Amino acid sequence: MRYASPVGDLAAYVSVHQADDKKRPAIIWIVGGFPPGGFGIHLVSEAPTANDQTAQAYRKADVLTLFPSFRGAFGNPGLQESFYGEVDDVIAALSYLKARNDVDPERVFLGGHSTSATLALLAAAATDEFAGVFAFGPVSDPLMYGEEALHFDPADHEETRRRAPIHYLDSIRSETYVIEGEYGNIMALRGLELVSNNTNLKFVQIAGADHFQPLAPLNALLAESIAGSRSGQRLGLEPAKMQASYSKARP
C-alpha cells in the first residue's frame, strides 16, 4: 500500500488480519540498515532467532504491523535527508494508522533496529502521540555511521545537530525503551543514558547479547505486552523482566 506524506505517497507493507470490528493495537516497525526503512520478502519468511529483523512477533500477536519506506528511497518521491525529513514520514505513517477503522488510535507504537532505532528516537522527540517506542541499538549521533552513508553536509554543525537524538531526549513524552546488547553499540546506549534525566526513557542493557540477538525474544515480550494492553496504559516493563525473557530464549 501507500500512505500520504509531506512529499507524496510513500510505499509500505501492512499486515493483514481477520476482518472484524475489533480495534487492535498497531506498530510501525522500521527496518534497519541504509536507508532506514524498507521491506522485502524476508519480512514474511522465518528468520534465525539470533538475528530476526522481521518483527514477526507483532503480527503473530494480532498487532497490526506497518513497515514503512521513506522519501527518496524505494522509488518514493522526494530526496533522502538522513534522519531529518524522514521523521515527518514516520509521523505521517502514524497518522495513517490512527485513522484506520481496525486500529485503536491510542495504541499505536513505534519500533526500529539500528539506524532505524536512531530515527525512532528522533520521531519520539517530535511527537507525543506514540503509545510507546522501542529503539533497539540506536546511536547518539548519525555521524557515528560514517560520512559516506549520509545525505547532508557533515561539516555543517547545525545540520548534524538536527539529526542527533542525544540533543532531544528531554523532549520525549512517550514511554520509550532504548535497548542494546552488551556486545553491541553499548557505548552509544551508555552515552545516551548518561545525559538523560527523562523518566520516560528506560535504558536496557541485555547481558550476553550482541546487536542483533535481543530482537526475537524481546519483540516477543513486547508484542505480548502490547496485545494485552489497554488504551492509555503504559507497558511498565522492567529491565530485569526483559533480561529474563532474553536469557530464557537465548539464541
Side-chain angles (χ1 to χ4, degrees):
M1 49 77 66
R2 303 187 78 85
Y3 67 98
S5 84
V7 295
D9 291 349
L10 304 178
Y13 280 179
V14 64
S15 60
V16 177
H17 297 260
Q18 181 178 348
D20 53 33
D21 295 330
K22 177 180 178 181
K23 284 190 174 290
R24 51 184 47 80
I27 186 169
I28 298 167
W29 181 265
I30 314 174
V31 177
F34 279 98
F39 33 71
I41 192 64
H42 68 282
L43 294 177
V44 292
S45 305
E46 292 299 319
T49 306
N51 182 12
D52 183 358
Q53 300 184 50
T54 68
Q56 59 186 288
Y58 296 103
R59 56 186 181 272
K60 288 182 177 180
D62 200 31
V63 177
L64 191 143
T65 308
L66 177 74
F67 297 97
S69 66
F70 305 124
R71 59 186 64 197
F74 297 93
N76 290 324
L79 299 174
Q80 293 184 44
E81 298 183 18
S82 296
F83 308 96
Y84 190 62
E86 291 84 356
V87 172
D88 290 332
D89 300 339
V90 175
I91 295 173
L94 168 66
S95 297
Y96 162 76
L97 286 178
K98 289 171 77 75
R100 283 181 60 125
N101 291 331
D102 56 351
V103 168
D104 179 350
E106 300 302 317
R107 288 193 294 162
V108 179
F109 295 80
L110 172 65
H113 174 246
S114 198
T115 57
S116 295
T118 303
L119 180 56
L121 283 182
L122 291 166
T127 179
D128 61 359
E129 293 190 22
F130 285 109
V133 178
F134 318 120
F136 285 84
V139 296
S140 56
D141 186 324
L143 287 181
M144 297 173 70
Y145 295 127
E147 296 180 6
E148 66 281 355
L150 303 174
H151 294 267
F152 64 92
D153 181 5
D156 187 324
H157 296 299
E158 180 58 30
E159 290 294 324
T160 59
R161 181 181 176 84
R162 291 173 179 174
R163 294 163 166 85
I166 195 168
H167 300 301
Y168 306 108
L169 299 181
D170 287 346
S171 298
I172 295 176
R173 295 293 173 261
S174 300
E175 181 183 35
T176 299
Y177 296 85
V178 184
I179 305 162
E180 181 61 291
E182 66 171 320
Y183 305 125
N185 295 332
I186 197 60
M187 295 308 296
L189 180 144
R190 290 172 180 167
L192 290 166
E193 184 176 19
L194 185 64
V195 303
S196 176
N197 294 313
N198 189 342
T199 58
N200 293 309
L201 280 83
K202 292 184 179 180
F203 296 89
V204 185
Q205 176 178 317
I206 301 298
D210 63 16
H211 186 57
F212 303 94
Q213 291 170 324
L215 284 167
L218 294 191
N219 274 334
L221 172 65
L222 292 167
E224 179 184 13
S225 300
I226 289 172
S229 67
R230 297 180 180 179
S231 296
Q233 176 189 50
R234 291 199 165 200
L235 300 183
L237 293 171
E238 293 299 327
K241 183 173 183 177
M242 301 176 81
Q243 178 67 56
S245 292
Y246 172 77
S247 299
K248 182 178 180 180
R250 184 171 181 172

